[in-house]
Amino acid sequence: MRSKDRISYFYDGDVGSVYFGPNHPMKPHRLCMTHHLVVSYELHKKMEIYRPHKAYPVELAQFHSADYVEFLHRITPDTQHLFLNELAKYNLGEDCPVFENLFEFCQIYAGGTIDAARRLNNQLCDIAINWAGGLHHAKKCEASGFCYINDLVLGILELLKHHARVLYIDIDVHHGDGVEEAFYFTDRVMTVSFHKYGDMFFPGTGDVKDIGEREGKFYAINVPLKDGIDDASFTRLFKTIIAKVVEIYQPGVIVLQCGADSLAGDRLGCFNLSIDGHAECVRIVKKFNLPLLVTGGGGYTKENVARCWTVETGVLLDTELPNEIPENEYIKYFGPEHSLKIPNGHIDNLNSKSYLGTIKMQVLENLRCIQHAPSVQMQEVPPDFYIPDFDEDEQNPDERVDQHTRDKQIQRNDEYYEGDNDNDHNMDDV
């Protein structure tokens, strides 16, 4: 057992200031709320806090097609009417609107996941957290389900430079289709998604029978669930399946997508999970003591998203948080009780014991088809992607360095956004 986990946490306040538009359920503002809650519980004092680099277009094109990346870079709300064909081609529109600073938003959340993967690769931390990441629906050439750039795929590609096998686990209420699709034909990544399936629920994929193809056959695992699953059923199934997956697959690193739309009361979800139930999954995964990259994902009742990811930050730090939320810039959102815990949902649990038993049996049967500890032929490890970076030791202190570069090199005083330096504290509810 490690005596103390070294935890890197990535956050940039700009990621929470973008606006998808009126009536759109995705509210990046929830990321500012989460960060303020993390800081109000003083969890930031137990972690290394980093502002992520903005991912370069060439980094995004490690997975996405160059023409799609270039279009995202170029398109603005003012010019979109000139590109109707391209908007249709790249699936931009109602679900995935074009908004102000769209590309920078993608660069920040993707940069956080890439940076997190690199720190894990270089053994600079044991756990890396990027709550802004986890946008698991984006495809190689198109946006999907509020997701434009698939930071998870980019992070996993980075991890594959140093690890023979990467395990991806997804507890968002929606199927992790973009990540599964990206690695459907390889045994280097095992994807495991627990999600609502059926009733035309988005994205409509993730049947238990979808198991991967060619070299990837049996390396995609889908756990399709029905409305109303509760803590006890979910965590029991999760623990059984993930324990067997880790035993058989023996991953070198785990990526955990913690979409909070699987919580009870979510605007778009239909499960009955409490925050404790959701966080129990994080606790189970942490106990494997493997390098761990943790991201956010969906979550559309934003005060509950902030509560959930704060509790889970505490779990990763082995820190129990008091139920009474401390004073912070967003305290009014957590009224009237100002408590961290939320009640369980009241949706009928349509997952019978026999249904869950059948799903479990099918998944375990598929796992038995994999030999213990697959002998993956490691291809030559590609070099870390070359991006001009600054070695502090080699820099000439007399040379002028532009302000943006200096900002990246120093621990900023306003990094935690305490007091007057907070760049969101005047924002209205969006």
Side-chain angles (χ1 to χ4, degrees):
M1 288 283 286
R2 293 190 291 257
S3 57
K4 187 171 189 312
D5 294 303
R6 293 170 304 154
I7 301 193
S8 296
Y9 169 100
F10 294 88
Y11 177 72
D12 183 326
D14 289 346
V15 83
S17 60
V18 298
Y19 184 45
F20 275 61
N23 307 318
H24 198 290
M26 178 60 103
K27 310 287 186 194
H29 192 224
R30 67 205 176 123
L31 299 164
C32 298
M33 292 170 65
T34 301
H35 183 69
H36 277 261
L37 209 48
V38 163
V39 169
S40 72
Y41 276 107
E42 302 200 332
L43 297 176
H44 60 291
K45 295 179 178 174
K46 302 181 178 188
M47 304 184 284
E48 301 164 332
I49 309 287
Y50 295 98
R51 176 172 295 151
H53 85 289
K54 290 186 176 122
Y56 295 82
V58 71
E59 289 178 283
L60 304 180
Q62 294 297 287
F63 169 58
H64 294 283
S65 64
D67 60 308
Y68 173 54
V69 172
E70 202 270 325
F71 185 71
L72 285 179
H73 199 174
R74 197 167 32 125
I75 194 72
T76 68
D78 295 337
T79 62
Q80 61 179 325
H81 65 282
L82 304 171
F83 297 101
L84 297 180
N85 289 341
E86 288 92 338
L87 290 175
K89 176 182 173 184
Y90 299 123
N91 198 33
L92 296 173
E94 199 173 335
D95 268 5
C96 300
V98 176
F99 52 80
E100 210 64 59
N101 299 320
L102 165 61
F103 191 67
E104 186 183 31
F105 172 68
C106 295
Q107 288 179 292
I108 293 171
Y109 78 71
T113 301
I114 293 167
D115 284 349
R118 286 183 182 151
R119 286 194 72 77
L120 288 168
N121 277 347
N122 292 311
Q123 298 179 1
L124 297 172
C125 62
D126 303 308
I127 297 172
I129 303 170
N130 177 29
W131 291 126
L135 279 77
H136 58 174
H137 296 306
K139 307 293 198 303
K140 183 181 174 74
C141 304
E142 65 176 46
S144 175
F146 318 157
C147 306
Y148 302 83
I149 291 292
N150 198 316
D151 62 290
L152 292 158
V153 173
L154 294 168
I156 291 168
L157 289 173
E158 197 66 37
L159 293 169
L160 286 170
K161 295 176 182 178
H162 287 250
H163 296 278
R165 292 180 295 282
V166 177
L167 171 60
Y168 171 72
I169 304 169
D170 189 316
I171 58 171
D172 195 288
V173 77
H174 300 95
H175 177 230
D177 58 339
V179 184
E180 177 183 282
E181 187 179 293
F183 300 110
Y184 207 61
F185 299 114
T186 179
D187 56 4
R188 297 274 316 273
V189 180
M190 178 173 278
T191 59
V192 187
S193 179
F194 295 77
H195 51 268
K196 154 79 178 178
Y197 179 73
D199 309 326
M200 308 289 288
F201 194 74
F202 184 86
T205 51
D207 193 311
V208 72
K209 297 184 184 74
D210 299 332
I211 55 171
E213 290 178 28
R214 304 206 295 258
E215 285 77 26
K217 191 171 183 184
F218 302 117
Y219 292 89
I221 292 175
N222 284 299
V223 185
L225 301 166
K226 300 179 182 181
D227 288 8
I229 194 158
D230 56 28
D231 289 351
S233 310
F234 192 94
T235 55
R236 194 182 306 122
L237 192 61
F238 183 87
K239 189 171 188 175
T240 304
I241 289 172
I242 296 302
K244 187 52 82 173
V245 163
V246 172
E247 177 198 330
I248 289 178
Y249 189 58
Q250 298 195 8
V253 60
I254 299 177
V255 177
L256 176 60
Q257 196 268 20
C258 297
D261 46 9
S262 41
L263 290 174
D266 187 80
R267 239 175 110 178
L268 300 186
C270 51
F271 285 176
N272 274 338
L273 297 187
S274 70
I275 287 173
D276 283 340
H278 200 274
E280 181 61 24
C281 297
V282 178
R283 192 172 280 111
I284 289 164
V285 173
K286 182 181 187 293
K287 280 185 180 152
F288 291 110
N289 276 333
L290 288 164
L292 177 59
L293 198 170
V294 179
T295 73
Y300 307 99
T301 301
K302 58 187 190 301
E303 58 277 13
N304 289 349
V305 175
R307 287 179 167 106
C308 181
W309 292 344
T310 301
V311 167
E312 288 170 353
T313 304
V315 166
L316 294 166
L317 288 163
D318 294 321
T319 303
E320 190 75 39
L321 302 180
N323 192 31
E324 188 173 336
I325 290 176
E327 185 59 44
N328 70 86
E329 296 289 353
Y330 296 98
I331 192 74
K332 67 177 190 291
Y333 290 99
F334 303 105
E337 305 87 9
H338 303 111
S339 61
L340 204 51
K341 301 294 157 67
I342 59 165
N344 290 40
H346 303 295
I347 301 171
D348 286 342
N349 186 357
L350 302 183
N351 298 272
S352 65
K353 279 205 166 96
S354 68
Y355 174 73
L356 294 175
T358 304
I359 293 293
K360 182 176 82 175
M361 292 295 293
Q362 285 182 270
V363 168
L364 297 180
E365 190 57 46
N366 289 339
L367 278 169
R368 273 193 276 278
C369 298
I370 298 172
Q371 302 161 335
H372 277 257
S375 56
V376 174
Q377 287 298 308
M378 274 296 280
Q379 294 146 348
E380 188 183 343
V381 175
D384 273 349
F385 201 77
Y386 178 68
I387 303 286
D389 225 334
F390 299 95
D391 185 331
E392 290 179 29
D393 297 333
E394 290 180 9
Q395 264 187 277
N396 178 348
D398 299 326
E399 274 180 28
R400 290 178 69 82
V401 180
D402 69 83
Q403 186 62 47
H404 182 69
T405 305
R406 271 209 303 274
D407 279 352
K408 281 164 53 176
Q409 294 171 317
I410 58 174
Q411 184 80 22
R412 292 172 54 100
N413 292 330
D414 61 351
E415 191 74 302
Y416 307 130
Y417 302 100
E418 289 175 340
D420 297 336
N421 291 322
D422 174 15
N423 67 352
D424 314 305
H425 69 304
N426 292 324
M427 273 192 72
D428 295 319
D429 182 8
V430 291

